[in-house]
Amino acid sequence: MLFSLGLPACEEKQPAENRKEPPEGEETLDPGIPDDYSAIASLSNSAQWGPYNLHDPTLIRHGEQFFIFSTDVAFGPNGDCGIMQRRSGDLVQWRFMGWVFNGVPPLALQFMEQNQPGYRQESIWAPFIYKHEGICRLYYSVPGNDGLKLACIALATAESPYGPWTDEGIVISCKPADPFNAIDPAVVVDRENGKHWFAYGSYSSGIHMVELDPATGKRKDETDNGHLIAFRNRFHDAIEGAEFVYNDETGMYYLFVSYDWLEDDYNVRVGRSDKPEGPYLDIHGNDMADPGDNLPMITAQYRFDNHPGWQGVGHCGILKDEGRYFFVSQGRLGSNHYLMNLHVRQMAWSPSGWPLVSPERYASVPATTVTPESVAGSWEHIELVHISQKNTSVHIGLQEGGTIEDYPEGSWSFEDQVLRICFAEGEVFACRIFDEWDWENGSPTLVYTGMNNAGRCIWGKQITR
């Protein structure tokens, strides 16, 4: 069965609408994207939703364009049902393209209607897209209504992200008695043997992994529900949103998962493995499938000065593009956590081989030559901590000569593109530096993102030199 976009799509050859042109005679790096979009949140303004009403993104490159598919959800009225889609030529300015489907595709809809009388087509959740042998595979989650633990993950295919899409049917489903949740798909491919592994699951039942048939994108054995790869402790210890990336330099596969409730303490944890099917171990060597919380935690709610801050920075997608890595997620505005904005952030790797995420959104700011002299100055500093902590910035001074103002035992150094900050003896944070746009103050700046050996992460933004 073929499905076209819910709204008219542009021709594939048409260039994307990228960043706005500055006034004649002026140059600016300002992306020109306000954080509060409540004035255009209604469905009648959906053509202006470029980076707005974004939740659970998955990202792919196709030619010179980047495509994001995401959950159907919007500030105020929920909008239409059918997976939101948007595209960009620069990862900064985004064009909303409408909905992939006109409602739930027939094979998934048939399952839901058979198992929940009166089922309503309200939304499709948490898609995942990747390419196999030139074909786009788009997995998506269809939840039951009214909190019923009924769901399925289905698959659609197309020759490009523009569609049209062919309904391939259900990959896995769950009913209330099942010990797993058929939500939040993700796929990782073994670089050695070409096996395809499918992760799924959310909230209290943990995240499972099962082998796929590469030829069909369905489970290799339809009676196999797979094995557990990530779990927490109790019913209310939420875990969801698996995502994977392979790092060529470390030779490891990385599993990203989101903890807790998306409107407050949402945060992202990471484990790694030398095999895509796991086991995935955290920075302390703990198996993520065992009960307990894992480190590092690489994003959490936070607030810099002159801004209400962000929360819900989770359920990420990862883009690996020509040697660069990008972390894509929602961000919920601190002054109104129902406003969901697209956050694209640069991602780097610590010297010990763990991912580090920029504290500021990507705006394609040109890179400068970073030296110890340019690092010295006043910085806003955040230590990312968990559970009901707002992670509000404090000011620190990285002084010339390698000392830190107000920290008598502190020191810092910048060598081989690594910033090392020590606030107390024996605790060193190894940081990467990016040139970014200071979204809170409207100017380019330097930022750092770092981690210590215990998996604690810090963020910083330079205010003055």
Side-chain angles (χ1 to χ4, degrees):
M1 298 180 181
L2 294 179
F3 293 85
S4 60
L5 293 175
L7 293 180
C10 298
E11 294 296 329
E12 185 166 358
K13 63 184 179 181
Q14 180 179 338
E17 292 179 354
N18 294 327
R19 71 174 55 216
K20 298 175 181 177
E21 293 297 328
E24 186 175 353
E26 295 184 20
E27 292 185 4
T28 180
L29 297 173
D30 190 341
I33 302 173
D35 293 335
D36 188 334
Y37 64 89
S38 54
I40 60 168
S42 66
L43 191 58
S44 62
N45 292 306
S46 62
Q48 302 179 61
W49 284 2
Y52 302 134
N53 288 331
L54 184 286
H55 189 56
D56 306 334
T58 182
L59 180 64
I60 193 171
R61 180 172 182 163
H62 181 73
E64 295 302 313
Q65 299 292 298
F66 301 94
F67 290 78
I68 284 179
F69 299 81
S70 61
T71 290
D72 302 321
V73 65
F75 175 73
N78 199 52
D80 288 344
C81 173
I83 304 178
M84 292 183 177
Q85 182 181 12
R86 58 204 83 205
R87 66 183 171 103
S88 171
D90 62 2
L91 295 173
V92 181
Q93 302 294 335
W94 291 85
R95 178 176 182 174
F96 185 71
M97 298 175 64
W99 289 262
V100 177
F101 309 128
N102 292 305
V104 177
L107 297 177
L109 180 61
Q110 181 181 22
F111 170 82
M112 301 304 292
E113 290 179 335
Q114 287 176 345
N115 290 280
Q116 186 175 17
Y119 170 76
R120 305 179 303 275
Q121 299 186 54
E122 295 176 333
S123 60
I124 299 176
W125 291 357
F128 178 84
I129 190 167
Y130 79 113
K131 286 184 182 180
H132 176 61
E133 297 182 347
I135 297 299
C136 293
R137 289 178 171 173
L138 180 63
Y139 295 86
Y140 56 92
S141 313
V142 183
N145 303 141
D146 307 319
L148 179 66
K149 189 186 171 187
L150 172 73
C152 68
I153 297 173
L155 170 64
T157 58
E159 294 184 357
S160 88
Y162 292 87
W165 295 90
T166 300
D167 182 11
E168 305 288 356
I170 293 174
V171 178
I172 194 167
S173 62
C174 70
K175 297 179 181 179
D178 289 325
F180 57 86
N181 198 3
I183 294 289
D184 293 359
V187 176
V188 58
V189 179
D190 193 313
R191 293 170 62 90
E192 296 296 324
N193 57 32
K195 290 184 177 180
H196 290 215
W197 293 92
F198 179 78
Y200 69 95
S202 72
Y203 222 74
S204 59
S205 56
I207 295 170
H208 295 72
M209 176 80 85
V210 65
E211 188 176 353
L212 295 179
D213 179 349
T216 65
K218 302 285 190 68
R219 284 180 291 170
K220 189 173 183 179
D221 177 355
E222 292 192 358
T223 67
D224 183 12
N225 295 325
H227 60 277
L228 193 67
I229 59 168
F231 187 65
R232 290 187 69 194
N233 292 311
R234 305 178 302 277
F235 177 76
H236 290 293
D237 284 343
I239 181 172
E240 61 185 17
E243 174 68 305
F244 299 90
V245 74
Y246 178 81
N247 184 325
D248 298 281
E249 294 184 3
T250 65
M252 304 286 280
Y253 299 87
Y254 292 78
L255 167 64
F256 299 73
V257 295
S258 294
Y259 278 16
D260 300 317
W261 178 233
L262 55 88
E263 291 179 5
D264 43 49
D265 296 325
Y266 218 37
N267 60 92
V268 174
R269 310 297 178 109
V270 184
R272 64 185 184 183
S273 174
D274 58 1
K275 297 182 296 184
E277 69 269 31
Y280 284 87
L281 308 182
D282 74 358
I283 198 168
H284 299 295
N286 299 315
D287 189 338
M288 294 182 74
D290 292 336
D293 290 351
N294 301 110
L295 290 173
M297 179 180 72
I298 61 170
T299 68
Q301 59 179 326
Y302 70 97
R303 186 176 72 82
F304 284 117
D305 290 350
N306 304 319
H307 195 270
W310 295 101
Q311 57 201 55
V313 185
H315 198 127
C316 62
I318 305 295
L319 174 68
K320 182 179 179 181
D321 184 64
E322 298 180 345
R324 302 178 70 188
Y325 296 83
F326 294 91
F327 177 103
V328 184
S329 73
Q330 66 159 334
R332 290 176 175 251
L333 195 59
S335 57
N336 186 337
H337 61 231
Y338 295 111
L339 292 169
M340 299 157 286
N341 295 42
L342 167 61
H343 284 201
V344 178
R345 299 168 188 267
Q346 296 190 78
M347 194 173 82
W349 299 90
S350 73
S352 58
W354 290 94
L356 300 169
V357 176
S358 174
E360 289 283 4
R361 287 166 281 168
Y362 178 70
S364 195
V365 174
T368 62
T369 300
V370 181
T371 65
E373 291 74 22
S374 63
V375 171
S378 176
W379 292 72
E380 282 191 67
H381 172 85
I382 292 174
E383 181 175 344
L384 296 180
V385 293
H386 183 223
I387 301 298
S388 300
Q389 300 295 318
K390 298 301 182 183
N391 297 326
T392 299
S393 66
V394 298
H395 286 243
I396 65 170
L398 301 184
Q399 299 173 316
E400 293 186 8
T403 59
I404 304 178
E405 186 178 5
D406 296 330
Y407 290 86
E409 298 179 1
S411 63
W412 69 274
S413 64
F414 182 72
E415 187 176 358
D416 296 329
Q417 300 305 304
V418 177
L419 171 64
R420 287 182 168 85
I421 301 177
C422 177
F423 293 103
E425 186 175 352
E427 183 180 49
V428 178
F429 291 88
C431 307
R432 300 295 186 183
I433 290 183
F434 294 118
D435 286 275
E436 297 283 24
W437 183 254
D438 184 338
W439 291 76
E440 291 79 19
N441 297 309
S443 61
T445 191
L446 294 179
V447 302
Y448 61 68
T449 174
M451 183 184 302
N452 68 7
N453 288 335
R456 289 169 50 215
C457 291
I458 58 172
W459 283 350
K461 177 177 66 175
Q462 191 176 57
I463 303 303
T464 60
R465 293 184 181 178

